Amino acid sequence: MQDKFARMITTEERSLVRDNIILIKMLEMIDFNRKQIENSRNLLRPIFLKAADRLLDLVLADLKNIRMQLRKANIKWWEGEQKELVLSYHIVCRGFEDTFGMTRDVAKTQLSIKFGEYFAQVSEPFKSRSFADVGNVASNTVGLP
């Protein structure tokens, strides 16, 4: 009996699966919004595109790290049956099969938390700077004339 529990997926490993799923959803959302920005005529379009690109870079780097950890732990997952309010995934870890479910509300909350973390990183160059400094940062990062 103890051997069975030793093979079960740990809380940390479940967190990796959850973060992997959330980051994939984030990539989809960022890509969708980036395409909308590309097609807009907004005056701040170059800055918004640069911010979206930076977000993509950060999310992709974290996703790569999580996927390496999942591979190292020999954890595989795939989407299961999606019900109205629950996102369901199948997990195989060390021969143990399990289902991982997340309500849409929990997914939205996780997305909000993660986006907040990434927005803080993207906005860091603009914090505690004068208006002139922000203009210099913006022109250096987005290639404004």
Side-chain angles (χ1 to χ4, degrees), residues 79-137:
E79 279 191 48
E81 181 181 337
Q82 305 300 319
K83 297 180 182 169
E84 280 185 34
L85 299 175
V86 178
L87 306 172
S88 181
Y89 299 88
H90 296 287
I91 303 170
V92 175
C93 176
R94 294 179 291 277
F96 181 77
E97 292 186 33
D98 199 3
T99 301
F100 176 81
M102 185 174 8
T103 64
R104 291 188 187 278
D105 288 341
V106 168
K108 286 179 184 179
T109 300
Q110 290 297 315
L111 283 163
S112 294
I113 291 167
K114 285 285 192 192
F115 269 122
E117 293 169 0
Y118 288 114
F119 290 159
Q121 291 179 52
V122 170
S123 66
E124 189 63 37
F126 295 97
K127 290 183 180 174
S128 68
R129 294 183 183 253
S130 71
F131 184 73
D133 288 341
V134 170
N136 288 334
V137 169

Side-chain angles (χ1 to χ4, degrees), residues 19-75:
D19 289 347
N20 187 61
I21 292 164
I22 293 299
L23 291 178
I24 289 170
K25 298 290 183 198
M26 287 180 77
L27 285 176
E28 293 169 3
M29 294 170 75
I30 295 167
D31 186 54
F32 176 80
N33 282 282
R34 191 184 187 295
K35 288 176 182 169
Q36 286 184 321
I37 294 166
E38 279 181 339
N39 296 325
S40 78
R41 301 186 89 172
N42 190 313
L43 176 65
L44 299 176
R45 181 176 160 259
I47 293 172
F48 293 156
L49 286 173
K50 193 63 173 181
D53 288 342
R54 180 70 178 128
L55 275 173
L56 283 171
D57 290 345
L58 292 169
V59 172
L60 284 170
D62 285 349
L63 188 59
K64 180 180 178 182
N65 181 36
I66 287 171
R67 287 192 170 167
M68 284 182 2
Q69 291 179 56
L70 289 170
R71 262 193 308 277
K72 186 176 180 182
N74 197 23
I75 298 172

